[in-house]
Amino acid sequence: MKVPFVDFASPYLELKDPLDAAYHRFMESAWYVLGSEVEAFELEYAKYCGSEHCIGVGNGLDALHLILRAYEIGAGDEVLVPSNTYIATWLAVSHVGATPIPVEPDPRTHNIDPERIHAAITPRTKAILVVHLYGLPADMDPILQIARKRGLLVIEDAAQAQGARYKGRRVGALGDAAGHSFYPTKNLGAFGDAGAITTNDTRLAERIRSLRNYGSKKRYYNECKGVNSRLDELQAAFLRVKLRKLDEWNARRQAIARLYMEALADKESLHLPCVPQWAEPVWHLFVVRHARRDVLQKQLNELGIQTLIHYPVPPHLSGAYADAHLPLGSLPIAEALAATVLSLPLGSHTRSGQAAYVAEKTRQAASEY
């Protein structure tokens, strides 16, 4: 059996009629930038997340960058970031001239460890950038408690967690602002790059609406040196269709995750995901750990099972951050995760038969060593 890591064809086939209708509506409107589709999606996604505002932007990195810039975080400032995350989280901080300060994760959840945040705070710290990694919410209450006590902003990177809940509340409205990515692989994925910012801060929302559009609220009247990062009208039209299916598609992911958890529970050589009682993950990724990860991946690949590694190189060991002077061994938890994590196929259109095959072959392979 061939099991792809991501099935890009099936979502379109399932939603062909409404997606095609959205395309024709967009074309017939003859309005292609910052029109009614973006406005409607912003209202619908804000309501979905439980936030007051949503601002559509070009991609997830821009979303985080614009939040930091709108809060006037820049040169000389520090932002706490997870040591274990996709590099975009760090890049957003670097792009405003601030310094990303890595904080190690809880080895059980792979998310930033609230207990380690205190030691990383300095007089230059302005914000904590929290990632809901793999679709699992970070433990927000203790993080928010620390931030409020120290006068820090809390920014969510919710790129992998559309629809996830923390103590009954959806991510995206838990901190001061949140950045979202709608890259095609995401739980709510566009058919190209797309992103958004959600917030309850009206002043911040107004500033970001200007920043994303050349620093202008009114054409040719530029209030600041902005950028061009606008959610595309066509992508917004497609996202509106897919948003209506998001909870259903997340439920499918949750069913596959339960199958994996039950089938692999007794394999001591495999470290399965940890889900705290207060979390309702949406399983953007199903990440296991194994001491001989590369051997396991090779065996599964030979059996037709496509797996990926999220992420093989932690940001501090990448060439991009060589100037941070964080050598091998400086962030041991992130490094240990990078050496052992493996993502099994799981998506909204992964079939139960495929998942059963993955579980069976993973059990067999893990039993061999």
Side-chain angles (χ1 to χ4, degrees):
M1 183 183 292
K2 297 289 186 182
V3 185
F5 189 79
V6 178
D7 180 352
F8 286 112
S10 292
Y12 171 65
L13 294 175
E14 180 178 345
L15 296 176
K16 184 179 186 306
D17 288 345
L19 287 171
D20 288 352
Y23 164 77
H24 288 293
R25 185 175 68 242
F26 159 77
M27 291 299 294
E28 291 165 4
S29 74
W31 190 281
Y32 305 129
V33 178
L34 292 185
S36 60
E37 296 293 347
V38 168
E39 183 178 350
F41 174 74
E42 289 175 338
L43 291 170
E44 291 160 8
Y45 194 62
K47 181 179 179 180
Y48 179 83
C49 293
S51 65
E52 291 293 325
H53 307 281
C54 172
I55 307 97
V57 295
N59 55 69
L61 174 55
D62 283 358
L64 297 175
H65 169 222
L66 288 170
I67 292 169
L68 293 167
R69 186 171 168 191
Y71 275 129
E72 299 183 341
I73 294 172
D77 296 331
E78 295 176 349
V79 177
L80 305 190
V81 296
S83 61
N84 179 54
T85 184
Y86 184 55
I87 198 170
T89 312
W90 288 42
L91 290 174
V93 178
S94 298
H95 286 345
V96 296
T99 302
I101 302 298
V103 177
E104 288 272 69
D106 181 333
R108 298 167 300 171
T109 65
H110 301 196
N111 274 326
I112 193 169
D113 188 345
E115 295 296 323
R116 298 173 185 270
I117 287 176
H118 288 283
I121 296 173
T122 76
R124 292 184 291 177
T125 306
K126 299 298 182 184
I128 306 170
L129 213 174
V130 179
V131 180
H132 304 303
L133 199 64
Y134 313 148
L136 175 69
D139 193 0
M140 291 296 291
D141 281 354
I143 295 171
L144 288 165
Q145 185 176 13
I146 295 167
R148 299 305 176 240
K149 185 176 180 180
R150 302 295 291 269
L152 304 176
L153 297 163
V154 175
I155 299 164
E156 300 172 76
D157 181 340
Q160 300 183 3
Q162 296 99 345
R165 294 179 186 270
Y166 173 78
K167 297 184 179 180
R169 296 170 292 158
R170 281 210 173 100
V171 303
L174 303 175
D176 294 288
H180 305 256
S181 169
F182 305 123
Y183 186 73
T185 59
K186 298 299 192 284
N187 291 42
L188 179 60
F191 291 88
D193 274 322
I197 294 152
T198 52
T199 185
N200 292 324
D201 186 335
T202 299
R203 187 162 174 256
L204 179 78
E206 290 176 353
R207 179 156 173 76
I208 291 173
R209 289 188 191 281
S210 175
L211 281 171
R212 72 170 175 182
N213 190 35
Y214 300 102
S216 172
K217 294 178 182 177
K218 181 180 179 182
R219 195 175 187 186
Y220 301 128
Y221 292 83
N222 302 82
E223 302 166 356
C224 61
K225 295 173 183 152
V227 299
N228 177 11
S229 181
R230 303 173 295 207
L231 176 60
D232 185 79
E233 271 287 290
L234 180 58
Q235 298 301 341
F238 291 151
L239 286 167
R240 293 182 65 202
V241 174
K242 296 179 85 174
L243 179 59
R244 300 179 198 120
K245 297 288 287 189
L246 180 56
D247 286 342
E248 178 186 331
W249 285 2
N250 281 341
R252 296 182 197 174
R253 289 175 178 267
Q254 291 162 343
I256 298 298
R258 284 194 297 271
L259 187 155
Y260 283 158
M261 293 288 267
E262 293 169 4
L264 301 172
D266 62 344
K267 302 300 350 171
E268 293 184 3
S269 60
L270 279 176
H271 295 270
L272 298 181
C274 170
V275 180
Q277 187 176 7
W278 40 256
E280 296 177 46
V282 289
W283 300 102
H284 174 62
L285 299 171
F286 189 94
V287 178
V288 300
R289 293 182 62 194
H290 196 281
R292 300 183 65 190
R293 184 268 314 283
D294 294 341
V295 177
L296 176 60
Q297 183 179 40
K298 183 175 183 292
Q299 284 190 260
L300 293 177
N301 184 63
E302 291 170 351
L303 294 166
I305 299 169
Q306 184 185 22
T307 61
L308 294 177
I309 299 171
H310 297 86
Y311 300 97
V313 181
H316 73 284
L317 296 181
S318 68
Y321 285 95
D323 59 352
H325 306 295
L326 293 167
L328 184 67
S330 58
L331 295 167
I333 300 177
E335 293 167 19
L337 292 177
T340 56
V341 293
L342 186 67
S343 301
L344 301 182
L346 188 155
S348 58
H349 290 77
T350 301
R351 299 190 300 274
S352 58
Q354 290 176 316
Y357 177 76
V358 171
E360 176 192 357
K361 297 306 178 184
T362 303
R363 280 180 59 84
Q364 292 174 0
S367 298
E368 294 178 10
Y369 43 87

